[in-house]
Amino acid sequence: DTGVSQNPRHKITKRGQNVTFRCDPISEHNRLYWYRQTLGQGPEFLTYFQNEAQLEKSRLLSDRFSAERPKGSFSTLEIQRTEQGDSAMYLCASSRTGESIQYFGAGTRLSVL
Amino acid sequence: EDQVTQSPEALRLQEGESSSLNCSYTVSGLRGLFWYRQDPGKGPEFLFTLYSAGEEKEKERLKATLTKKESFLHITAPKPEDSATYLCAVVNAGNNRKLIWGLGTSLAVNP
């Protein structure tokens, strides 16, 4: 069990550029979650996958955000036309089907200049 | 609306000075309450899950308890390495996939 892996750990980009983050969940976990966290706040739910199906997406999620999990294994989160307000820590978590405990990766810190 | 409130926002202790962190919740049918530890620049690390009032769990210097309205994380004789932000989250019976988070308690333990 190698845990949830996220890449890159840090990303600095200019406003208007597109960025993509990758998450590799724990191998036997069917469920995968993306969160965003800013300083002093708890994680904010973005979206959730059961295998390759995206089953839930936050109403707060802008159309500039898209996530995929094409083969039910790793997932990518893309942000198009980044804005300074997108600067945050992006966290990925995974869990087994039927279990509520979510295990988190170390996160990707995005800075939009 | 489901809500989680943690107190205090920040806590500074001397090494060996025991204390408790509070997590009060309002949720439509508690499915589970979770405690996580988060170090700066890292993702949350799972500590405990509690499912029903009266339940207790322990791990090293940490003990989590649950009532019908709140949970406490007791820290006994803390060490500087216990310094971190402690996050509480709940899951309601209607959606066991979505964690509802508090804002956390930032704990600093001075040597």
Side-chain angles (χ1 to χ4, degrees):
Chain A
D1 183 350
T2 57
V4 178
S5 177
Q6 290 190 247
N7 288 288
R9 290 295 317 279
H10 304 276
K11 179 71 177 178
I12 300 173
T13 191
K14 292 183 179 179
R15 190 174 48 187
Q17 298 294 305
N18 299 344
V19 295
T20 300
F21 311 139
R22 175 176 171 130
C23 172
D24 288 88
I26 294 170
S27 58
E28 64 268 27
H29 286 187
N30 297 67
R31 293 181 174 176
L32 186 147
Y33 312 79
W34 284 100
Y35 291 87
R36 174 171 60 192
Q37 187 179 29
T38 54
L39 199 62
Q41 302 292 314
E44 173 194 8
F45 172 80
L46 295 179
T47 190
Y48 149 72
F49 290 85
Q50 171 81 33
N51 299 313
E52 67 276 7
Q54 187 174 18
L55 297 186
E56 191 170 349
K57 193 173 172 181
S58 170
R59 286 171 290 176
L60 302 175
L61 202 59
S62 159
D63 289 344
R64 297 183 294 106
F65 287 69
S66 62
E68 294 184 342
R69 195 182 182 198
K71 297 183 179 179
S73 56
F74 73 91
S75 175
T76 58
L77 177 69
E78 182 183 15
I79 308 174
Q80 295 182 329
R81 305 180 302 281
T82 52
E83 302 173 357
Q84 287 186 327
D86 297 330
S87 295
M89 174 77 88
Y90 289 84
L91 295 166
C92 176
S94 70
S95 70
R96 289 187 178 89
T97 301
E99 291 189 4
S100 299
I101 300 172
Q102 297 180 19
Y103 296 90
F104 284 80
T108 294
R109 164 100 33 213
L110 173 66
S111 297
V112 181
L113 304 179
Chain B
E1 182 181 344
D2 297 339
Q3 195 168 1
V4 176
T5 303
Q6 291 188 247
S7 62
E9 290 184 16
L11 181 63
R12 186 174 295 274
L13 300 173
Q14 289 297 122
E15 185 172 1
E17 179 187 1
S18 301
S19 188
S20 297
L21 313 182
N22 177 264
C23 170
S24 61
Y25 61 90
T26 305
V27 66
S28 51
L30 181 71
R31 181 79 177 255
L33 184 142
F34 305 83
W35 283 99
Y36 285 82
R37 168 191 171 130
Q38 188 171 28
D39 293 300
K42 296 187 177 180
E45 175 190 349
F46 172 73
L47 294 173
F48 303 110
T49 307
L50 301 166
Y51 293 104
S52 57
E55 190 175 359
E56 298 182 353
K57 289 195 177 169
E58 285 188 69
K59 179 180 179 180
E60 296 180 352
R61 296 176 292 282
L62 301 177
K63 179 179 177 179
T65 61
L66 181 65
T67 73
K68 289 186 178 179
K69 294 183 179 180
E70 58 191 349
S71 176
F72 291 94
L73 185 66
H74 306 278
I75 304 176
T76 301
K79 297 182 178 181
E81 52 261 44
D82 295 322
S83 298
T85 295
Y86 290 85
L87 293 163
C88 174
V90 299
V91 167
N92 70 34
N95 186 343
N96 72 334
R97 300 173 297 276
K98 194 167 181 178
L99 292 171
I100 301 159
W101 296 86
L103 298 182
T105 293
S106 176
L107 174 66
V109 182
N110 296 328

